[in-house]
Amino acid sequence: MRDYILPPVFLPLSSGNIEGVIHKEVNSYRDVFVKIVEGKNLQEGDLFSKGDFFVSLWLPTASLKTYRTRTIPNSSNPIWNESFHFQIHNQVKNILELSVYDEDKFNNDCVARLLLDVDKIPPGTTISDSISLIPEGSEVLLFELRAEERPDLLGEITTNGVLVTRPFSCIEISVLENENKTYLNDDERLSLKLSGAYEEMHKWNTPHNKEEHFHFHATADMELELEVNLTKVAGKSKTDSRNKQENEEDEEENEELIGTTTVPIHLLKENQDKTVRVAFGKERSVDLKLRAKECSEDLDIRLGFDISEHEKHFLKKRKKIVSETIRDALSLTNNLEENEVPVVAVVGSGGGMRAMTSLYGSLSGLQKLKLLDCVTYIVGVSGSTWCMSNLYENPKWSQENLQTAIHRAQDQVCHSKMGFFSAERLNYYSREIKKRTARGQTVSFSDIWGLIIEYLIHGKENTAKLSDQQKGVEEGQNAYPIYTAVNVKEDVHFQELAEWCEFTPHEVGFPKYGAFIRAEDFGSEFFMGRLMKSNPESRICYLQGLWSSIFSVSLADVWQLATGSSSAPGWLKNMFDNNDEFTDLSKITSSKFVTSLTSPEGLFSHFLEEALISRPAVGENYNFLKGFHMHRDYRQHGGFIAWMGTDEEDNPNYLTPAEKKLHLVDAGFSINTGFPPLFRPERQVDVILSFNYTWGSQFKALKQTEEYCAARNIPFPKVNLHGIDNSNLKECYLFVDEENPQSPIVLHFPLVNDTFRTYKAPGIKRNSVKEKTNGSIDVQSRGSPYRTAYVSYSVDDFSQLVNLNCYNVMNQKEIIMQAINMALHRKRQSKPQAIS
């Protein structure tokens, strides 16, 4: 009986089903009793004395309070014999963390941490166990676990099989008029803190006997404690109170704690008032009236693993357009039936301005082949999203000649970037950031980076929002756009536990958790699935700061040239080496970058410079999964797509719903191409046109995608590179899994200049010197004008890159038609046969 023990985390001593139908359940609770008995042969804390050991217990699905044993001083065999009690919900995944610490005056050293799945303890049984704290060592911890059912307690949950939202309560707290009427002086303030609640803390500094009311929203069936603190602002006189709001931040740093106490909240009976007196010494007290009310509002988050109803309506309309286009392209005599229509997707990789320009060319090639209306989805990463977001500002972009959009993009790409660090522009950045702060929106470097992108690709303020793009798909007239980012842990490598986040015109969400919010609500504050504070929808440039933050390292290079500041740190350089995107500063020439910039001054300047030369990639955003818990069987749910065999995802205490903020970053830090959103089985993608615009290896992202799929049991063809000459790549490679029709057919287009050198159009050779010169496009060497750090092209360079990518698509018409025909054949083969 050791299946309740998760793989332990050792620390140095001193250092199924995918329906996803949302449903409600009424379930009971259990009592879990934990007894920490003793430790044996625990390692000494230092060379001169034995350790002073204690054990902490943390079960965040039952209580946000961390419990601990007393400290046994100077003993390698401490005996505690201390018991603890937790109340847990039967349908929530409950992982108890036992951490052994060696107490120190300055810092408590964690010796080891044990993860115990208490859900697996059979009710009515007691388990006594001893666990080795060091692999193959003699250091052990002895403890007892016991579980008892509580059929008398029932609680309703809402779940999609992965996430769980529990009973939701509003705690009303009134600070009452006190008998002595002078309990709060002008220089004192009262703070009410409820850890785990949405509001977390309220502060009150109104003197004398004015009654005040506060609200906390929290999980109703968890152990909660209200912490009440009375503080005094050091050195404050009565006359200062008139300016208190102006000096609030300074006052917080100078507060002196007078007294503190806690009030249990979980013992409140619903809809019944309870008055408690909180004393601070013999003569100081505060009367609080408490009331708990159940909140039963519907969820503002869509729980489920299916695509949205909006996307389903789009697909019905788009299939008609795709059907007619394929019928004409393949010269079919009959229309396709609805279940025969292949789903074709375009995937664009990252690569800054190079990726944006190249995607224009690739889409233009499909349009000239009259195949653009075959495409159902367009997915982008990093620089590809710049092209996509530009195109979808026009609701009819694919129905018009793309040359108009390309000429407009050329004007922006080729205009001077001299001004993006000008004093005027820096003042604009500063004003915009202040506006976001005033509205209560999160602010991080990615927001500044988004404003810089806005200037790079528009040259002025762009008012477009993601939800505006709904107009571009409401009649199925364009392919459905999907933008990407990944959520990461700050202390975990970007390719580990990178959770893909989708942005569509209708929704933003995590397919892994089956949780989505309206696109208009991204940036607003949620708790337990409820919209608590609605913030204005951000302009799309702020999203671009998330979608393409991998490119921001190039901005650090520009900053270095302009200001003389030190370059990005080594770990960041290594990261960009891994992504084929980092620029060798020794190869930068002044003709490619701004050489005359205004150095900003003041606090904003310091923040900007620090951001540019430290960690510019990660942006913080409100976590709309905050307050959810994980279902006890989430790992067995078919919709929870995760790495096979990863211990980190066995511990829900550290998964995204437990985080206060999202840490979203360019998906290129994980896989520098946008495949993952297309693997959702509800999208049923048959053919993927993969356009690689990254620098360096032209198959790295594709191989990473193959590994991503293999680790998650997702059908994907083998990417066999045997026999491929990397020094002489062709324009397109076909990858098919003949034995598995569920696997998509992949056409991969490397960024190469192959037959374009000698052909200006398919079948038409270059003759004149000028034509041959136009075919000599450098997309490989370090002297190329298309290196990732280059934010501006000449008109000729822009046109040639567009033409190259357009040609590479048009020259592969036969293989594209072959792939579509193959997908059509698969569709017809898989159709259920009529019964005669």
Side-chain angles (χ1 to χ4, degrees), residues 161-229:
V162 170
L163 294 178
V164 173
T165 180
R166 295 161 68 172
F168 187 42
S169 180
C170 177
I171 313 297
E172 296 180 349
I173 301 178
S174 300
V175 183
L176 303 179
E177 180 180 344
N178 193 272
E179 292 176 357
N180 61 28
K181 300 184 184 298
T182 58
Y183 67 92
L184 193 60
N185 298 323
D186 290 352
D187 59 351
E188 294 174 348
R189 93 174 24 153
L190 189 72
S191 67
L192 307 175
K193 182 179 180 180
L194 188 62
S195 295
Y198 162 69
E199 293 83 358
E200 290 196 353
M201 180 180 289
H202 288 295
K203 290 189 175 183
W204 188 55
N205 54 4
T206 302
H208 309 305
N209 24 275
K210 181 180 178 182
E211 187 170 313
E212 195 71 53
H213 306 278
F214 304 100
H215 294 84
F216 289 97
H217 293 84
T219 307
D221 58 352
M222 287 181 61
E223 181 180 348
L224 299 172
E225 284 188 343
L226 177 69
E227 181 182 314
V228 186
N229 295 314

Side-chain angles (χ1 to χ4, degrees), residues 95 111 194 243 292 322 333 338 361 451 461 511 570 577 636 646 681 731:
I95 302 296
V111 177
L194 188 62
N243 301 319
V322 173
T333 56
E338 185 175 343
L451 291 169
E461 180 177 343
D577 284 337
Q636 285 70 52
T646 50
E731 296 153 350

Side-chain angles (χ1 to χ4, degrees), residues 191-390:
S191 67
L192 307 175
K193 182 179 180 180
L194 188 62
S195 295
Y198 162 69
E199 293 83 358
E200 290 196 353
M201 180 180 289
H202 288 295
K203 290 189 175 183
W204 188 55
N205 54 4
T206 302
H208 309 305
N209 24 275
K210 181 180 178 182
E211 187 170 313
E212 195 71 53
H213 306 278
F214 304 100
H215 294 84
F216 289 97
H217 293 84
T219 307
D221 58 352
M222 287 181 61
E223 181 180 348
L224 299 172
E225 284 188 343
L226 177 69
E227 181 182 314
V228 186
N229 295 314
L230 183 62
T231 59
K232 179 179 180 179
V233 179
K236 182 176 175 57
S237 65
K238 290 186 178 180
T239 57
D240 290 331
S241 61
R242 292 192 299 269
N243 301 319
K244 187 168 188 178
Q245 186 173 0
E246 300 176 10
N247 302 317
E248 186 173 351
E249 293 183 3
D250 293 336
E251 290 179 6
E252 289 180 358
E253 296 179 0
N254 297 314
E255 286 184 12
E256 175 186 341
L257 181 64
I258 297 175
T260 183
T261 189
T262 58
V263 179
I265 295 294
H266 59 287
L267 301 179
L268 293 177
K269 294 183 179 179
E270 190 175 309
N271 295 321
Q272 292 186 14
D273 291 340
K274 180 178 181 180
T275 301
V276 297
R277 175 159 292 180
V278 179
F280 302 102
K282 294 181 179 180
E283 299 180 355
R284 311 299 298 280
S285 64
V286 176
D287 289 342
L288 303 177
K289 184 174 70 175
L290 312 175
R291 172 183 280 254
K293 297 195 308 183
E294 182 182 1
C295 300
S296 57
E297 294 89 350
D298 293 334
L299 298 184
D300 298 303
I301 287 181
R302 182 175 71 85
L303 291 182
F305 293 87
D306 203 351
I307 55 178
S308 71
E309 290 300 318
H310 296 288
E311 188 173 339
K312 290 179 182 178
H313 291 319
F314 159 81
L315 289 174
K316 285 186 178 181
K317 296 179 178 181
R318 186 64 178 175
K319 278 191 174 184
K320 296 178 181 179
I321 297 173
V322 173
S323 175
E324 294 173 359
T325 305
I326 291 179
R327 180 198 62 195
D328 295 342
L330 296 179
S331 300
L332 303 177
T333 56
N334 299 321
N335 291 327
L336 301 181
E337 296 181 15
E338 185 175 343
N339 59 1
E340 291 180 336
V341 180
V343 177
V344 180
V346 164
V347 172
S349 76
M353 204 66 79
R354 179 183 64 252
M356 183 185 97
T357 305
S358 296
L359 184 55
Y360 275 113
S362 299
L363 295 176
S364 176
L366 289 173
Q367 187 179 65
K368 290 181 178 180
L369 291 177
K370 298 183 179 181
L371 295 177
L372 186 55
D373 279 340
C374 289
V375 179
T376 299
Y377 292 104
I378 298 180
V379 188
V381 164
S382 198
S384 291
T385 65
W386 301 357
C387 172
M388 293 168 58
S389 57
N390 282 354

